[in-house]
Amino acid sequence: MLALGKINRLTVKKQVKFGFYLDGLSWGEILLPNNVAPKDLQIGQTLEVFLYLDSEDQLIATTERPKIKVGEVAMLQVVATTKVGAFVNWGLKKDLLVPFSEQQLPLKEGQSYLLYCYVDNSNRIVASSKLDRHLHKTPAPYQAGDKVDIVISEQTDIGYKAVVNHQHWGVLYKNEVFKPLRRGDKLNAYIVKVRDDGKIDLRLNAATYKQALELTTQILAKLEQNGGKLALTDKSSPEQIYASFGVSKKAFKQAIGTLYKDKKIVIAEHGIILVPS
């Protein structure tokens, strides 16, 4: 099934002087202009194209890849403000419209904003800065440990608000973050849990048994290298822990808790001590 504003795989139906017509099935023939057609393109060949409306609102195909597709979020720069709304650069010849009704605050030329792209009731591809209007409309289908793509939205008192897989809201807590993040940054993250209210807790490092085992091994090795003592405890700062092991404070606390339960270490006031074997 073809989709406007997304990548579609179509077959070349015929060639004309100004380009190629692709078989759009029930949508009819769709023009792929010469300037975006691959060299040596042949009739009968299939290729992946992005479908959008040109300046005359005619359906057209391109092999160029936009900075955002329908159903996605991305940081885009405003190139013009007009009486119908703001236009942003999304990497195609025709700029993308952000209608006034879809602006959380008036967009300013030259500034970049985190936007969601969708097809409106008039069958136009448009964008919106009112993310709450478009995100988190379906139940979050994730399980603990799932790897997801996130886009940073904003910094809050507890950490960072992020868009998960372009569809849901999630939170990265500040004790899980050890590098500066900016709005629009794209990262991989892992699901910690989906809460009863539907909100999603995230972390940047995978919480797997293998990693936990590796961390306890690393801690024991460092203890042996340092004469059985290490000046880190569950009270140490996240920065100190990350500098030593490259993990979050939570992961470190879990690891030394495991070692303590296994009677391999003692947790003292100023550090941890290796129990002689």
Side-chain angles (χ1 to χ4, degrees):
M1 184 176 178
L2 301 187
L4 185 64
K6 295 188 177 183
I7 303 298
N8 298 263
R9 191 165 187 84
L10 301 181
T11 302
V12 179
K13 190 172 182 180
K14 65 182 180 183
Q15 184 174 9
V16 292
K17 191 173 183 178
F18 44 85
F20 296 83
Y21 278 106
L22 309 179
D23 186 359
L25 304 175
S26 62
W27 289 16
E29 296 177 341
I30 303 172
L31 177 64
L32 176 70
N34 279 326
N35 65 333
V36 291
K39 292 182 179 180
D40 302 323
L41 186 61
Q42 302 292 324
I43 295 173
Q45 186 175 337
T46 60
L47 72 166
E48 292 186 340
V49 293
F50 180 77
L51 298 182
Y52 70 111
L53 303 178
D54 65 12
S55 56
E56 297 179 354
D57 288 335
Q58 296 296 311
L59 186 61
I60 195 167
T62 180
T63 54
E64 296 177 315
R65 295 294 182 258
K67 299 175 182 178
I68 192 173
K69 298 187 289 291
V70 166
E72 295 182 351
V73 298
M75 286 287 289
L76 300 175
Q77 185 178 44
V78 177
V79 294
T81 55
T82 71
K83 61 183 180 181
V84 297
F87 285 90
V88 296
N89 175 15
W90 64 327
L92 299 180
K93 185 175 181 180
K94 180 188 177 183
D95 295 321
L96 181 63
L97 173 66
V98 185
F100 285 120
S101 61
E102 290 293 337
Q103 297 180 27
Q104 189 72 35
L105 295 171
L107 304 191
K108 298 180 180 180
E109 186 173 337
Q111 298 294 312
S112 295
Y113 300 87
L114 190 62
L115 304 173
Y116 178 85
C117 183
Y118 69 103
V119 177
D120 70 6
N121 293 331
S122 300
N123 207 38
R124 301 178 303 174
I125 303 174
V126 295
S128 173
S129 63
K130 294 184 176 181
L131 300 187
D132 285 332
R133 178 178 288 184
H134 301 281
L135 299 178
H136 230 94
K137 299 303 180 185
T138 58
Y142 313 110
Q143 301 294 324
D146 285 353
K147 186 177 181 179
V148 293
D149 297 318
I150 66 170
V151 180
I152 300 300
S153 172
E154 59 187 294
Q155 188 171 7
T156 68
D157 291 339
I158 61 174
Y160 292 88
K161 192 174 181 181
V163 180
V164 180
N165 284 353
H166 299 282
Q167 297 299 315
H168 297 95
W169 283 119
V171 176
L172 268 175
Y173 293 96
K174 57 186 177 183
N175 65 339
E176 297 282 353
V177 179
F178 303 96
K179 60 182 179 181
L181 297 177
R182 298 179 300 175
R183 175 175 291 192
D185 282 353
K186 298 179 180 180
L187 305 162
N188 292 131
Y190 297 86
I191 302 295
V192 176
K193 65 179 177 179
V194 178
R195 291 186 272 161
D196 292 339
D197 60 5
K199 294 180 180 177
I200 302 166
D201 291 344
L202 302 164
R203 65 161 49 101
L204 294 181
N205 293 317
T208 64
Y209 174 78
K210 181 180 178 182
Q211 286 184 319
L213 183 61
E214 289 175 351
L215 179 55
T216 56
T217 302
Q218 290 172 10
I219 293 171
L220 290 174
K222 187 156 285 194
L223 280 165
E224 291 175 354
Q225 293 169 8
N226 287 277
K229 295 181 180 180
L230 194 59
L232 288 175
T233 70
D234 53 0
K235 302 294 193 300
S236 299
S237 71
E239 291 75 18
Q240 288 176 309
I241 293 168
Y242 190 79
S244 295
F245 294 102
V247 299
S248 69
K249 182 172 181 176
K250 183 177 180 180
F252 179 76
K253 287 174 66 175
Q254 290 173 340
I256 63 173
T258 298
L259 291 171
Y260 177 78
K261 290 176 184 177
D262 292 342
K263 298 181 180 180
K264 293 183 178 180
I265 64 168
V266 173
I267 303 176
E269 182 178 356
H270 300 294
I272 57 177
I273 301 170
L274 184 65
V275 175
S277 57

